[in-house]
Every structure is written in structure tokens, then in C-alpha cells.
């Protein structure tokens, strides 16, 4: 991802759009923020024309359809047709966020996108639609979405060979945790989202380095392994502490579905960990590998301690 003025402007528009949609008190502001975010992200998906335009076109069609549904829903709400307006707005936000039952477009687009675009699509691009969805969808509706996402993500990722597709199904499970945290505390949602974004960033960064012969295998293996361990939610890493925070704050029985989804997803996490990461760690420079792993483990332990202290 070479820095250029066009990419910086697009990234700024994308960030400003999400912030505007989350902080706006008016429906028009929410819609405008999501549109700014979309147009900024489209440039980042294929800035130089090196990648296939197919995922970019698919993403544009999906997001545009969601925006039209949301806009029609907002206009209907302004005309005092509450039920139909809420239905249209909910359908649009569900489609844009890629959650059940309009989630099937996510794996196909993630599979053919770049590492950077895939990582942003699984993290930052979900913030605005998920926050708006949690505001308009009733609690029982959110519980159905949470349980469905946990089950689909866990089962769907079991027989996947593609790293990106596996990450897409993994994001479904983590989305269920984020939605559950968002229903009880925005602070917990922000904390879980930050940890999840860091995990995906490390994992995708390590995977992208594996395709570059000039980079040492130690760095790519350490980054991928670190990201996987955090995505697994294994103690004492930050992913485990983030799940603990959601578990402590939630008083809903749907937390059981989230836990079961995470347990089932451990299967494809572990398979990938041993097949791709552990094999590459068998290297001559084992001292350097141990040093890298010691550093990242210490960073996670220290970060987890800071999170716990902040909530005391």
C-alpha cells in the first residue's frame, strides 16, 4: 500500500464518513456519512488497477442497494409510516453491515480483494452500519442476528481452504460478540472492536509478507501467529480478555451461542495455525523467533493488564 495523495484523501474521507454516521443525530447525517465512507473505500479497494475489478463492482452494487433501502426507509419514517420505514432501514443496514440474513456477499468479495481492503472490510467498514443497526433493531431481533451469526461463522469456516474466506466466517463470530457488547455498553464494543482490528491487522500483515521473498519468515510467522492467537481468544492474549469483558457485562442468555461459536471456530483456527504458521517457525534462527514471540506475548499481557485496570 504505497502512500499517495489520492489514497490519503480517500482514507480521510472514509474515516470522516464513519465518524459522521456514528455521531450524527439526524437520519440524513447517518446516510451521508455512510455514503462518504463508501466512496472513500472504493478508491482504496483498487487504487492502482492492479487487482480484479470484480470485488469492487460487487461491493459497490451491494452497498448502493443498502443505501437505497436506507434512504427510502428514512423518507418513509419522515412521512410518519413508522413500521414500513423501520423495515426498510433495517434491511438496508443489515445488507451494508453483512450480517444475517444478508451476509452471503461477504466471503465472495473478501476472497478476491487485496489484504488491505479485506482487513478494512472486516473491521472499520462494519462500525457505522452495526451501530445504526443496534439503535433501530429491537432486542429480540438483535438476539436472532447474534445467534445466527455465531452459528454461521463457526460452521461455515470449518471446511475452508482460503485464508480470506476463513477470516470472513471468523468475522461473523466476532461480529456476534461485538453486537452483544454493543447492546450493553458502547465502551465494551469499542474495546472489543479495537482488539479484533489489531488481531486482523497482524494476521493479514503476516499473510501479506509471506508472499514477499525478501521478507524473513520469522516476521511473517510471528505476525500471523500473534493475530491467530488473539482471534482464537486464547489466554492470556487480548482476544481472551475482550471476550471476558463482554461476558461480564452481558446478562443475556445468547452469550452461550457466542461461546459455542468461538469454541467451534477453534477447529479451523488451530488447523491453519499448525499448517501454515508452525511449519514456518522451524527455522535455523530459532533465537530470533523466540525473541519475537516473547516480545508480542509481553505486549499482550501488558495490554490486558491495562484494560483490566481501566475497568476497575
Amino acid at each position: 500500500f504505497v502512500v499517495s495523495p489520492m489514497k490519503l484523501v480517500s482514507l480521510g474521507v472514509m474515516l470522516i464518513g464513519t465518524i459522521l454516521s456514528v455521531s450524527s443525530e439526524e437520519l440524513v447525517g447517518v446516510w451521508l456519512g455512510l455514503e462518504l465512507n463508501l466512496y472513500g473505500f472504493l478508491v482504496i479497494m483498487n487504487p492502482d488497477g492492479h487487482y480484479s475489478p470484480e470485488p469492487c463492482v460487487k461491493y459497490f452494487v451491494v452497498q448502493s442497494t443498502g443505501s437505497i433501502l436506507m434512504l427510502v426507509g428514512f423518507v418513509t419514517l419522515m412521512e410518519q409510516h413508522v413500521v414500513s420505514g423501520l423495515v426498510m432501514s433495517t434491511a438496508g443496514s443489515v445488507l451494508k453491515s453483512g450480517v444475517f440474513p444478508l451476509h452471503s456477499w461477504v466471503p465472495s468479495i473478501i476472497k478476491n480483494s487485496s489484504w488491505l481492503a479485506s482487513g478494512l472490510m472486516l473491521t472499520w467498514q462494519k462500525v457505522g452500519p452495526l451501530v445504526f443497526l443496534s439503535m433501530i433493531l429491537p432486542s429480540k431481533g438483535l438476539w436472532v442476528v447474534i445467534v445466527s451469526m455465531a452459528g454461521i461463522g463457526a460452521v461455515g469456516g470449518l471446511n475452508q481452504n482460503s485464508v480470506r474466506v476463513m477470516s470472513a466466517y471468523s468475522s461473523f463470530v466476532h461480529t456476534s460478540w461485538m453486537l452483544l457488547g454493543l447492546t450493553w455498553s458502547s465502551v465494551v464494543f469499542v474495546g472489543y472492536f479495537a482488539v479484533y482490528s489489531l488481531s486482523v491487522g497482524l494476521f493479514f500483515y503476516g499473510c501479506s509478507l509471506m508472499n514477499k521473498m525478501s521478507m524473513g519468515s520469522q516476521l511473517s510467522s510471528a505476525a500471523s501467529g500473534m493475530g491467530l492467537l488473539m482471534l482464537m481468544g486464547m489466554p492470556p492474549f487480548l482476544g481472551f480478555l475482550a471476550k471476558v469483558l463482554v461476558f461480564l457485562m452481558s446478562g443475556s442468555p445468547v452469550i452461550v451461542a457466542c461461546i459455542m461459536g468461538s469454541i467451534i471456530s477453534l477447529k479451523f483456527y488451530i488447523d491453519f495455525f499448525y499448517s501454515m504458521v508452525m511449519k514456518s517457525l522451524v527455522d535455523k534462527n530459532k533465537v530470533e523467533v523466540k525473541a519475537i514471540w516473547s516480545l508480542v506475548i509481553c505486549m499482550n499481557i501488558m495490554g490486558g493488564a491495562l484494560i483490566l485496570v481501566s475497568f476497575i
Side-chain angles (χ1 to χ4, degrees):
F1 187 68
V2 180
V3 177
S4 68
M6 182 184 68
K7 295 175 185 177
L8 289 177
V9 171
S10 301
L11 184 61
V13 171
M14 185 185 72
L15 298 177
I16 292 172
T18 299
I19 295 173
L20 176 63
S21 64
V22 172
S23 60
S24 179
E25 297 181 356
E26 300 292 335
L27 296 178
V28 176
V30 174
W31 180 83
L32 179 61
L34 292 175
E35 289 303 292
L36 289 174
N37 171 270
L38 170 61
Y39 293 127
F41 181 68
L42 286 175
V43 177
I44 297 177
M45 284 191 74
N46 198 4
D48 304 318
H50 294 162
Y51 299 97
S52 172
E54 179 184 354
C56 188
V57 173
K58 284 184 178 180
Y59 187 79
F60 175 74
V61 172
V62 170
Q63 295 297 316
S64 297
T65 304
S67 298
I68 292 173
L69 290 174
M70 291 184 69
L71 184 59
V72 172
F74 293 164
V75 173
T76 308
L77 285 174
M78 293 177 184
E79 296 294 331
Q80 305 301 321
H81 300 289
V82 178
V83 176
S84 57
L86 286 176
V87 170
M88 297 292 288
S89 302
T90 302
S93 58
V94 165
L95 180 61
K96 290 180 74 69
S97 57
V99 298
F100 177 84
L102 304 176
H103 62 279
S104 58
W105 61 269
V106 177
S108 62
I109 295 180
I110 293 292
K111 182 179 181 179
N112 299 315
S113 300
S114 65
W115 290 111
L116 177 63
S118 300
L120 290 174
M121 207 180 303
L122 295 178
T123 54
W124 184 258
Q125 294 303 103
K126 288 180 175 289
V127 175
L130 284 181
V131 172
F132 180 72
L133 182 64
S134 67
M135 295 172 60
I136 64 173
L137 196 62
S139 298
K140 292 183 179 179
L142 273 177
W143 291 352
V144 172
V145 172
I146 291 170
V147 173
S148 301
M149 291 297 288
I152 292 171
V155 177
L158 290 177
N159 295 320
Q160 299 298 330
N161 296 322
S162 171
V163 176
R164 291 183 176 89
V165 176
M166 183 202 73
S167 301
Y169 283 103
S170 168
S171 72
F172 293 161
V173 179
H174 288 282
T175 299
S176 66
W177 283 91
M178 286 188 283
L179 275 175
L180 184 59
L182 189 59
T183 57
W184 295 95
S185 173
S186 58
V187 177
V188 175
F189 168 76
V190 171
Y192 194 101
F193 174 78
V195 173
Y196 174 65
S197 300
L198 177 61
S199 306
V200 173
L202 283 172
F203 181 49
F204 279 13
Y205 176 69
C207 291
S208 65
L209 291 183
M210 291 179 183
N211 297 327
K212 300 178 181 179
M213 299 303 295
S214 60
M215 302 302 297
S217 61
Q218 295 87 359
L219 180 59
S220 60
S221 299
S224 299
M226 187 72 255
L228 270 178
L229 289 173
M230 293 173 66
L231 287 172
M232 286 182 194
M234 301 293 290
F237 298 98
L238 289 178
F240 173 75
L241 296 176
K243 285 182 170 61
V244 169
L245 290 178
V246 176
F247 179 81
L248 294 177
M249 292 295 297
S250 174
S252 172
V254 297
I255 188 67
V256 178
C258 297
I259 295 174
M260 292 301 298
S262 296
I263 293 174
I264 297 173
S265 62
L266 282 177
K267 194 267 181 185
F268 57 81
Y269 283 137
I270 295 174
D271 287 347
F272 181 81
F273 187 83
Y274 279 99
S275 63
M276 191 171 185
V277 179
M278 294 301 292
K279 290 181 181 179
S280 61
L281 285 177
V282 181
D283 194 86
K284 295 180 180 179
N285 301 320
K286 294 183 179 180
V287 177
E288 296 182 9
V289 177
K290 291 181 179 179
I292 294 174
W293 277 97
S294 300
L295 176 62
V296 293
I297 290 174
C298 290
M299 290 174 60
N300 271 269
I301 294 175
M302 292 175 62
L306 290 175
I307 290 179
L308 292 178
V309 170
S310 64
F311 279 88
I312 295 178

